[in-house]
Amino acid sequence: MLKITRKVEYALIALKHMQTKEDESLTTAKEIAYQYNVPQQLLAKSLQQMSKNHIIEATKGINGGYRIKANLNGISLKDFFEKLEGPLGVMDCYFDSECQISGCNVKAPIERINDNIRKMLSTMTLEEVTQ
Amino acid sequence: MLKITRKVEYALIALKHMQTKEDESLTTAKEIAYQYNVPQQLLAKSLQQMSKNHIIEATKGINGGYRIKANLNGISLKDFFEKLEGPLGVMDCYFDSECQISGCNVKAPIERINDNIRKMLSTMTLEEVTQ
DNA sequence: GATAAATACGATAAAATTTATCGTATTTAT
DNA sequence: ATAAATACGATAAATTTTATCGTATTTATC
Ligand code: FES
Ligand code: FES
């Protein structure tokens, strides 16, 4: 319950790793995978998704790699999570579909919990987490 | 990611349902299961766990059932979740074991996220959710 | 131009977790 | 005794998460 996925953790590890390097240098998926002993292909997917979302930028080709592109202070943790995993809901009822439970009497309360979690995650920035 | 389980939702549904009834009356698992079309045996386990934790009290035997026992205002959502699901951590590294990722560089940041989620859930009470 | 090393990405397999069911024991009012 | 309820361990089914596979594309270097 309330778990952060590996996909997100791998992304955070990569960001934090890149932040400790000089601005100009590129980092490869292989390098990170080796250093933290993490599955490279899976890590690569987190990197690709961050690239798609302009958090980092990718350089292809033989001397390629990734570097941080965005201002991490401008990205809330809520936005970051949603970029990687889609809309953030503690119950799937809101985005995906309607309630599966007929006449569910706790939809509103659960929505309130959800709002509070989202609100909290909106106050934390990526920079704050990776700094 | 960050999902509330059925086990917890069934518990909330049951609490909310019982709150709308007169104080003295008992509610059976069957009654709730039927009304919300929810698997009775599974719901029963949520009820049993709440009973163990003195949130509700159970009466056995042919005219048995459950009724609310605790003051729901005195129970935070954090405590409630932990009574049902054990220690609340967005990553299993803290309670279960050590980090599986060698030299994980985001343990402290993730712990910070975790603290904030727990802090937030400490400010919400069960009463607030079921009222 | 061939090669090597990197990103990109869809498809699939494996593992883990969540959800549900089964079977049986116990309690208690009638 | 019986019926209707809680209690609970064991197991099965379903779903989700995690990991791997295979292939395509890009690009610096020789
Ligand atoms: S089934 Fe949608 S909130 Fe309960
Ligand atoms: S593996 Fe424990 S926080 Fe990263």
Side-chain angles (χ1 to χ4, degrees):
Chain A
M1 187 195 181
L2 305 186
K3 285 287 183 309
I4 286 178
T5 60
R6 286 288 178 211
K7 186 172 162 186
V8 167
E9 172 159 40
Y10 293 159
L12 287 174
I13 287 175
L15 280 180
K16 174 119 188 173
H17 181 85
M18 287 188 276
Q19 246 187 352
T20 69
K21 302 182 65 171
E22 306 145 45
D23 283 342
E24 286 313 300
S25 69
L26 292 177
T27 308
T28 65
K30 192 179 179 184
E31 172 186 332
I32 299 173
Y34 176 77
Q35 175 153 350
Y36 299 96
N37 195 37
V38 143
Q40 176 174 340
Q41 301 249 52
L42 206 47
L43 165 68
K45 292 191 185 194
S46 293
L47 288 163
Q48 284 155 28
Q49 211 163 341
M50 286 197 286
S51 172
K52 266 193 189 169
N53 283 287
H54 314 107
I55 298 169
I56 63 181
E57 76 184 338
T59 303
K60 282 184 159 190
I62 195 172
N63 286 329
Y66 302 92
R67 74 159 62 87
I68 291 174
K69 184 184 181 189
N71 170 18
L72 300 189
N73 248 319
I75 302 175
S76 73
L77 227 43
K78 168 179 173 293
D79 288 344
F80 179 67
F81 287 165
E82 294 201 327
K83 280 176 202 296
L84 286 175
E85 312 242 47
L88 206 60
V90 295
M91 205 89 234
D92 306 308
C93 306
Y94 310 114
F95 308 106
D96 296 18
S97 55
E98 284 143 37
C99 286
Q100 294 170 317
I101 294 174
S102 65
C104 179
N105 59 351
V106 293
K107 180 166 179 153
I110 286 181
E111 199 152 9
R112 229 174 299 145
I113 297 172
N114 206 34
D115 284 347
N116 282 340
I117 287 183
R118 289 214 302 258
K119 212 174 293 172
M120 194 280 288
L121 292 175
S122 295
T123 69
M124 297 184 80
T125 71
L126 250 190
E127 171 82 24
E128 179 181 347
V129 162
T130 56
Q131 82 197 340
Chain B
M1 187 195 181
L2 305 186
K3 286 285 183 308
I4 287 177
T5 60
R6 286 288 178 212
K7 185 171 163 187
V8 166
E9 172 159 41
Y10 293 158
L12 288 174
I13 287 175
L15 280 181
K16 175 120 187 172
H17 181 84
M18 286 189 276
Q19 247 187 351
T20 68
K21 302 182 64 170
E22 307 144 46
D23 283 341
E24 286 312 299
S25 69
L26 292 177
T27 308
T28 65
K30 191 179 180 183
E31 173 186 331
I32 299 174
Y34 175 78
Q35 175 153 348
Y36 300 95
N37 195 37
V38 141
Q40 176 175 340
Q41 301 248 53
L42 206 47
L43 165 69
K45 295 194 182 191
S46 293
L47 288 163
Q48 284 156 28
Q49 210 161 341
M50 286 197 285
S51 172
K52 268 193 189 170
N53 283 286
H54 314 105
I55 297 169
I56 62 182
E57 75 185 338
T59 304
K60 284 184 158 191
I62 196 171
N63 285 330
Y66 302 91
R67 75 160 61 88
I68 292 175
K69 183 184 180 190
N71 170 18
L72 299 190
N73 247 319
I75 302 174
S76 73
L77 226 44
K78 169 180 173 292
D79 289 344
F80 179 67
F81 287 166
E82 294 202 327
K83 280 176 202 296
L84 285 176
E85 311 243 48
L88 206 61
V90 295
M91 205 88 237
D92 306 308
C93 306
Y94 311 115
F95 310 106
D96 295 20
S97 55
E98 286 143 36
C99 286
Q100 294 170 319
I101 294 175
S102 64
C104 179
N105 60 352
V106 293
K107 179 165 179 153
I110 287 181
E111 198 152 9
R112 229 173 299 145
I113 297 171
N114 207 33
D115 284 347
N116 283 339
I117 287 183
R118 289 216 300 258
K119 213 172 293 174
M120 194 281 288
L121 292 175
S122 293
T123 69
M124 297 185 79
T125 71
L126 249 191
E127 171 81 25
E128 181 181 347
V129 161
T130 56
Q131 83 197 341

